[in-house]
C-alpha cells in the first residue's frame, strides 16, 4: 500500500470517528434538552379538572337540615356530562335549604375556571333574590365544620347573577360571609362589592367565570376579562364560626375549600378546572 492510499484511509477513518463523536454528543445534548424540557413542564402550572363529567367523586354535599353528604331531593346530579342543580323534589316550599357542594381539597394560590348557565324557573317558595342567583364560594371553612342548620359557610364568594331579559343584573360581585376584604386599600363595610366592569348575561347562555388567588390578591374574570380585584381577606372575629377557624391571633385567611352554591334557581356546571400556583 502506498503512502497516498494510507493517508486516504486514515482521513476516512478520522472523518468517521468525528461523525460518530458528533452524533453521540448531539444525542447527549438532545437527551439533556429533553430532560430539561420535562422538568420545566413539571414546574409550569397546568389546568386540572375537578369535575369528571360522570359523577360527584371528590365532592361533598351539605344542605341545611340534612347530614353532611346527604343529597336531599337529588339536588346535585350529573346528567349528560353536566353537574346540574335542581329542586324538583322540594315541593311548594323551599324552606331556606341553601345548599353547598364542596370540593374535597384545601387550596391556597390558584386560578379557578367554571363554565355555567342558568336554566328553568326559581324553586317555589324561594326568596325573590334567589332568581338566577348562585356563585362560587372559596376560602371556605372545612365541610365537616358546617353546622346542621348553617345556611352558608364562612367564605368569600364570586356571585353569579343572570339577566331577566330586561334589566341589568351584573355578575361578579365579591361577597363575604364571616370575613373582611380590602377593596382599594379599605376594609369592606358592605356584604358585597359589585364588579367594577358590569356584565349582564340574559337567557340560558354559557358563561365562563374565573377567580385568581395569588398571595392575598384576588381577581374576578368573566369570559377572560378582569372585572374586579381586591385583597387581604381576614376572618371577622365577631362571627362565632369564623372565630373558631382563626389560628392563634392571626386572622389572615390564606386558603380554604372551594364550593358551588345551590341558591334556589336551577343551574348547570359544564367544566370546573383549577390551576395551582
Amino acid at each position: 500500500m502506498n503512502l497516498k492510499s494510507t493517508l486516504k484511509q486514515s482521513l476516512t477513518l478520522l472523518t468517521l470517528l468525528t461523525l460518530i463523536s458528533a452524533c453521540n454528543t448531539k444525542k447527549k445534548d438532545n437527551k439533556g434538552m429533553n430532560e430539561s424540557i420535562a422538568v420545566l413542564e413539571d414546574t409550569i402550572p397546568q389546568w386540572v379538572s375537578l369535575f369528571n363529567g360522570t359523577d360527584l367523586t371528590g365532592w361533598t354535599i351539605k344542605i341545611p337540615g340534612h347530614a353532611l353528604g346527604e343529597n336531599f331531593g337529588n339536588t346535585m346530579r350529573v346528567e349528560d356530562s353536566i353537574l346540574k342543580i335542581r329542586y324538583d323534589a322540594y315541593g311548594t316550599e323551599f324552606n331556606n335549604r341553601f345548599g353547598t357542594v364542596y370540593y374535597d381539597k384545601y387550596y391556597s394560590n390558584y386560578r379557578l375556571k367554571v363554565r355555567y348557565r342558568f336554566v328553568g324557573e326559581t324553586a317555589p317558595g324561594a326568596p325573590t333574590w334567589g332568581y338566577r342567583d348562585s356563585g362560587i364560594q372559596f376560602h371556605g371553612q372545612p365541610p365537616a365544620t358546617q353546622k346542621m342548620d348553617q345556611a352558608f359557610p364562612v367564605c368569600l364568594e364570586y356571585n353569579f347573577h343572570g339577566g331577566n331579559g330586561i334589566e341589568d343584573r351584573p355578575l361578579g360581585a365579591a361577597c363575604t360571609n364571616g370575613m373582611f376584604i380590602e377593596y382599594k386599600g379599605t376594609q369592606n363595610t358592605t356584604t358585597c362589592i359589585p364588579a367594577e366592569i358590569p356584565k349582564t348575561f340574559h337567557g340560558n347562555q354559557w358563561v365562563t367565570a374565573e377567580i385568581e388567588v395569588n398571595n392575598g390578591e384576588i381577581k374576578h374574570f368573566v369570559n377572560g376579562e378582569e372585572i374586579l380585584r381586591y385583597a387581604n381577606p381576614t376572618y371577622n372575629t365577631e362571627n362565632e364560626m369564623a372565630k373558631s377557624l382563626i389560628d392563634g391571633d392571626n386572622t389572615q385567611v390564606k386558603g380554604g375549600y372551594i364550593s358551588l352554591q345551590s341558591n334556589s334557581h336551577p343551574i348547570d356546571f359544564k367544566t370546573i378546572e383549577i390551576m395551582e400556583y
Side-chain angles (χ1 to χ4, degrees):
M1 183 179 295
N2 58 34
L3 179 61
K4 185 175 180 181
S5 297
T6 301
L7 287 173
K8 186 174 181 181
Q9 288 180 356
S10 297
L11 287 172
T12 301
L13 179 60
L14 180 61
T15 301
L16 181 60
L17 290 173
T18 300
L19 289 172
I20 292 172
S21 177
C23 184
N24 287 336
T25 300
K26 185 175 181 181
K27 286 181 179 178
K28 290 179 181 178
D29 289 345
N30 287 342
K31 182 180 179 181
M33 183 179 295
N34 290 337
E35 288 176 348
S36 297
I37 291 172
V39 170
L40 184 61
E41 287 177 346
D42 286 341
T43 61
I44 296 174
Q46 303 289 326
W47 286 108
V48 175
S49 180
L50 302 185
F51 172 51
N52 63 22
T54 302
D55 54 33
L56 290 175
T57 297
W59 295 83
T60 297
I61 296 167
K62 180 65 183 77
I63 297 173
H66 299 271
L68 184 68
E70 182 182 347
N71 189 8
F72 168 76
N74 195 28
T75 303
M76 287 79 167
R77 61 191 74 167
V78 179
E79 298 172 344
D80 304 319
S81 300
I82 293 172
L83 196 171
K84 299 181 178 182
I85 296 180
R86 299 291 188 269
Y87 309 96
D88 44 40
Y90 279 52
T92 59
E93 291 298 327
F94 183 70
N95 288 329
N96 295 328
R97 288 173 287 203
F98 303 107
T100 301
V101 55
Y102 290 93
Y103 191 71
D104 299 332
K105 184 179 176 181
Y106 179 101
Y107 288 102
S108 296
N109 294 310
Y110 54 87
R111 184 159 177 144
L112 179 72
K113 179 164 58 178
V114 171
R115 195 173 183 211
Y116 76 94
R117 68 180 178 187
F118 285 107
V119 296
E121 302 296 329
T122 312
T128 56
W129 58 260
Y131 174 80
R132 291 189 175 242
D133 183 280
S134 188
I136 305 169
Q137 298 168 149
F138 60 104
H139 279 6
Q141 68 185 86
T145 65
Q146 188 167 339
K147 295 180 178 180
M148 179 66 75
D149 295 319
Q150 184 181 340
F152 302 102
V154 171
C155 64
L156 299 178
E157 178 198 344
Y158 179 132
N159 180 251
F160 295 165
H161 270 168
N164 58 17
I166 302 172
E167 303 167 303
D168 289 334
R169 300 186 78 243
L171 83 165
C175 299
T176 61
N177 184 38
M179 295 184 188
F180 293 113
I181 55 175
E182 289 182 5
Y183 176 63
K184 296 185 176 180
T186 302
Q187 188 179 87
N188 66 302
T189 57
T190 59
T191 301
C192 294
I193 296 172
E196 294 177 348
I197 301 176
K199 299 282 186 178
T200 297
F201 297 91
H202 299 284
N204 298 350
Q205 60 183 303
W206 290 102
V207 179
T208 300
E210 294 181 78
I211 302 168
E212 184 174 72
V213 181
N214 199 346
N215 295 320
E217 184 175 58
I218 302 168
K219 300 175 184 177
H220 291 188
F221 300 82
V222 61
N223 293 344
E225 180 180 0
E226 182 182 324
I227 57 173
L228 181 65
R229 67 169 63 190
Y230 51 98
N232 302 326
T234 55
Y235 288 115
N236 178 357
T237 57
E238 295 183 0
N239 180 295
E240 286 303 313
M241 178 55 72
K243 191 175 180 179
S244 71
L245 302 172
I246 297 172
D247 183 11
D249 296 326
N250 185 4
T251 61
Q252 184 180 9
V253 183
K254 296 181 180 179
Y257 290 81
I258 292 166
S259 59
L260 306 174
Q261 286 185 334
S262 169
N263 260 10
S264 74
H265 196 106
I267 188 170
D268 291 340
F269 293 94
K270 193 169 188 178
T271 56
I272 308 165
E273 298 177 298
I274 196 164
M275 179 189 295
E276 291 189 78
Y277 298 148

